[in-house]
Amino acid sequence: MSIKHIVEAGRWVLIASGLAGIVALYHHFPRANNTTVSLTLLLLVLVFAGSWGLRYAIGASLAAALLFDCYFLPPVGTLTIGDTQNWIALFAFLGTALYASHLASRIREESHEADSRRLESEMLYRLGRQLLQPENVAQLLNFIPSSVANAFNSPAVTLYLADGDRIYLSDPKRISSPNVAWKPDDTPDTPSPELTRAEMVRDLREAMLHPVTNSTADGFPAVIPLRVGVRPTGVVLLETTSLSRETMEALSGLVSMSIERAEALEDSARSKAAKETERLRTALLDSVTHELRTPLTSIKASITSLLSQQALDAPARKDLLTVIDEESDRLNHLIEQAVEMAQLDANKVQLDLKPQSIAGLIYIAIEQSRSAQPSRDFRVSLSSFLPNVLADKAWIEKVLVNLLGNAMKYSPQDQPIFVSADPQKEMLSISVADRGTGIDPLEEGMIFDKFYRGPSQRNQVSGTGMGLAICRAIVNAHGGTIGVTSQLNHGSVFTFTLPIARPN
Ligand code: ADP
């Protein structure tokens, strides 16, 4: 005997004892009239209808009518009824009991239905949020079966996509098929994986064309076809979960949409990457050709003059040699930057992190930069208490030299350059400010990209567009951030942060 049968028998016993109890009570309590008895019996029938459903209520109503007739309607003690009035009373009792039972059990069913709809909506909502998490299509497709299985408490979910005949399982050991009923003690092993897969694909392809079906009661999985527009794209099989048609349709829409969304995101990321590669290629070509050609042209011209004009006086020769010297430095700088950029890109830089005094690094960088413009006014303002930073001396010097170099390039020579440093919680923030051309707000997000050069500077000031990209890579490798605030024609403030070194 199964648990279901035991529960059923128990309920009938309770119904019988309830009715017998009421009859016994009123039988030995003769002051209660027949109306009181019938109402009490009716109340009990309603309780059964509301708790266990119509089947039990009908049984209870019939039994109550018989007991009422036998024990309370004259002649008492027999199943016959003497007077017409009592016949009417008996049928009124039976009719009321049956109709009220029907209403009570309908309310019960509707409330169950509403509860399960609410639960299903909550599950769908949760699932919808989960399906937004994976970042690419492959991750999402592997994630769908297990998250659908979790959301709907299903032991096995199979996702089939027609494109490439791909099958994804929530439980790798349990494969569902639309045409195979599953029994709890089934073992999922199959005689020939090749054959099974071919058969499964055939069945799944067929199932994908049908509307949603839910026959989990017979052990078959719920079949939920996926569609994009009207085009069938795949199917989801859900074992031993009974879902409403509306929920299955919503689930189908949710899964199809999440796959479409992930594919669209991946496409857009791919085309963005392709565009970026193209931009970098063009920018690199522009930058390298321009930046290599300009110094090379000057060097070549100077050497040609030196070779062809033997009668040049000493000052003229010195001028030409100075040009060659400066332009070679420029070429050297360009190649150095390109090498640094490549190293940082390939994560080949080993930082030698040690506690460093930022004041020391600032003064060294200023000294290096001053050689280009000896008369430049650098104003340094440092907090009275400046903790050491955890940094690689050589790389942070490069950042400072780059920022100071830009400030010198993009602001008039007679304007000062301000350098400051302040501790902020766990980080130290260092700023380099100038009173120069400033940066268009639209460009502020782009100037840290590789090879980006401001359109107004591109042809007027020499540069490669690599300086700030290198600065950002170095600062990020230290765990800091770099940014700019600027006002066109008023100047810019570049600020970067470095972690403060903790005392041991
Ligand atoms: P480069 O200076 O070689 O062009 P950077 O990467 O150092 O390359 O700078 C990128 C762009 O950012 C510059 O072309 C310029 O438009 C802008 N920029 C950088 N620093 C400043 C500054 N201090 N003032 C105004 N614009 C700046």
Side-chain angles (χ1 to χ4, degrees), residues 337 402-403 406-411 434 436-439 443 447-449 451-458 461-470 486 491-492 494:
Q337 276 199 326
N402 255 314
L403 295 180
N406 278 351
M408 286 155 69
K409 269 199 296 190
Y410 300 114
S411 70
D434 62 63
T437 51
I439 300 160
E443 281 182 85
I447 56 173
F448 293 94
D449 289 348
F451 306 118
Y452 182 84
R453 301 208 65 213
S456 44
Q457 281 87 21
R458 231 168 265 165
V461 186
S462 79
T464 57
M466 286 192 271
L468 288 180
I470 291 176
S486 179
S492 315
F494 283 83

Side-chain angles (χ1 to χ4, degrees), residues 206-445:
E206 208 176 287
M208 170 177 106
L209 305 172
H210 295 298
V212 291
T213 44
N214 194 352
S215 38
T216 44
D218 312 325
F220 288 99
V223 177
I224 305 172
L226 305 176
R227 297 206 156 78
V228 171
V230 286
R231 184 169 57 88
T233 53
V235 68
V236 173
L237 301 183
L238 224 106
E239 295 266 11
T240 58
T241 311
S242 162
L243 297 177
S244 68
R245 165 171 292 274
E246 291 76 12
T247 303
M248 290 203 291
E249 279 167 1
L251 178 62
S252 155
L254 195 65
V255 172
S256 309
M257 254 162 37
S258 66
I259 297 176
E260 253 187 291
R261 175 184 162 276
E263 280 171 353
L265 281 181
E266 222 172 72
D267 277 356
S268 116
R270 227 178 280 131
S271 70
K272 240 192 225 162
K275 253 193 220 153
E276 180 61 11
T277 313
E278 180 56 27
R279 187 188 75 76
L280 287 182
R281 209 172 57 82
T282 323
L284 178 67
L285 219 66
D286 279 1
S287 169
V288 169
T289 40
H290 181 258
E291 285 304 305
L292 278 179
R293 191 171 289 156
T294 320
L296 271 180
T297 314
S298 309
I299 293 171
K300 172 82 180 143
S302 307
I303 293 176
T304 313
S305 307
L306 282 170
L307 288 175
S308 58
Q309 298 170 29
Q310 303 290 337
L312 277 178
D313 56 6
R317 287 173 68 86
K318 188 164 182 243
D319 280 352
L320 287 172
L321 287 170
T322 312
V323 169
I324 294 172
D325 186 39
E326 281 172 2
E327 294 302 317
S328 319
D329 281 349
R330 208 169 133 184
L331 274 180
N332 199 22
H333 177 62
L334 173 73
I335 289 161
E336 238 174 52
Q337 276 199 326
V339 172
E340 279 167 11
M341 184 94 254
Q343 282 178 333
L344 288 162
D345 268 356
N347 285 331
K348 279 198 183 149
V349 174
Q350 284 288 328
L351 294 180
D352 180 17
L353 295 176
K354 284 192 185 129
Q356 306 284 349
S357 142
I358 195 68
L361 295 180
I362 289 173
Y363 286 114
I364 294 173
I366 290 180
E367 272 329 295
Q368 276 188 35
S369 310
R370 203 187 285 280
S371 57
Q373 289 177 6
S375 59
R376 195 70 186 225
D377 179 10
F378 290 96
R379 298 189 192 168
V380 180
S381 113
L382 305 173
S383 282
S384 48
F385 166 71
L386 265 189
N388 282 344
V389 287
L390 195 62
D392 183 307
K393 185 169 178 281
W395 284 104
I396 294 303
E397 260 174 40
K398 279 188 210 296
V399 173
L400 285 163
V401 168
N402 255 314
L403 295 180
L404 291 169
N406 278 351
M408 286 155 69
K409 269 199 296 190
Y410 300 114
S411 70
Q413 281 220 28
D414 56 351
Q415 290 295 333
I417 290 168
F418 304 87
V419 186
S420 59
D422 295 289
Q424 283 169 1
K425 290 188 188 159
E426 314 254 284
M427 306 297 271
L428 192 83
S429 121
I430 303 112
S431 298
V432 175
D434 62 63
R435 291 188 185 151
T437 51
I439 300 160
D440 191 314
L442 288 176
E443 281 182 85
E444 281 178 14

Side-chain angles (χ1 to χ4, degrees), residues 20-256:
I22 289 173
V23 170
L25 181 75
Y26 285 123
H27 206 60
H28 297 101
F29 191 32
R31 254 184 295 158
N33 62 21
N34 283 354
T35 317
T36 314
V37 176
S38 63
L39 282 177
T40 315
L41 288 170
L42 192 61
L43 180 69
L44 195 67
V45 168
L46 284 182
V47 170
F48 294 140
S51 320
W52 300 330
L54 192 58
R55 200 155 60 87
Y56 295 96
I58 291 176
S61 305
L62 293 173
L66 283 177
L67 291 171
F68 186 47
D69 172 23
C70 183
Y71 289 98
F72 299 97
L73 294 181
V76 173
T78 64
L79 277 178
T80 51
I81 295 171
D83 142 21
T84 329
Q85 281 280 337
N86 288 336
W87 273 112
I88 296 173
L90 181 68
F91 279 111
F93 171 76
L94 190 60
T96 313
L98 289 176
Y99 188 61
S101 303
H102 164 69
L103 288 182
S105 82
R106 211 168 77 184
I107 291 172
R108 176 175 168 271
E109 272 162 22
E110 278 171 8
S111 118
H112 273 193
E113 178 89 7
D115 272 355
S116 58
R117 284 286 154 80
R118 185 180 49 78
L119 267 179
E120 287 175 10
S121 311
E122 280 173 14
M123 288 167 177
L124 277 173
Y125 174 71
R126 231 176 304 134
L127 180 69
R129 288 176 55 132
Q130 281 176 3
L131 295 188
L132 287 180
Q133 283 167 9
E135 285 173 2
N136 57 47
V137 181
Q139 231 180 21
L140 175 75
L141 293 176
N142 284 308
F143 183 68
I144 288 175
S146 52
S147 42
V148 172
N150 279 342
F152 293 100
N153 292 326
S154 164
V157 172
T158 303
L159 166 69
Y160 165 74
L161 292 181
D163 178 19
D165 282 336
R166 285 168 291 165
I167 295 175
Y168 301 87
L169 304 170
S170 64
D171 175 356
K173 286 200 250 100
R174 188 160 158 182
I175 307 167
S176 314
S177 164
N179 303 329
V180 176
W182 186 82
K183 288 174 227 82
D185 45 351
D186 267 359
T187 44
D189 292 338
T190 42
S192 151
E194 292 295 309
L195 182 71
T196 311
R197 199 186 143 79
E199 276 174 2
M200 265 185 71
V201 167
R202 190 199 56 213
D203 291 351
L204 288 164
R205 271 189 170 275
E206 208 176 287
M208 170 177 106
L209 305 172
H210 295 298
V212 291
T213 44
N214 194 352
S215 38
T216 44
D218 312 325
F220 288 99
V223 177
I224 305 172
L226 305 176
R227 297 206 156 78
V228 171
V230 286
R231 184 169 57 88
T233 53
V235 68
V236 173
L237 301 183
L238 224 106
E239 295 266 11
T240 58
T241 311
S242 162
L243 297 177
S244 68
R245 165 171 292 274
E246 291 76 12
T247 303
M248 290 203 291
E249 279 167 1
L251 178 62
S252 155
L254 195 65
V255 172
S256 309

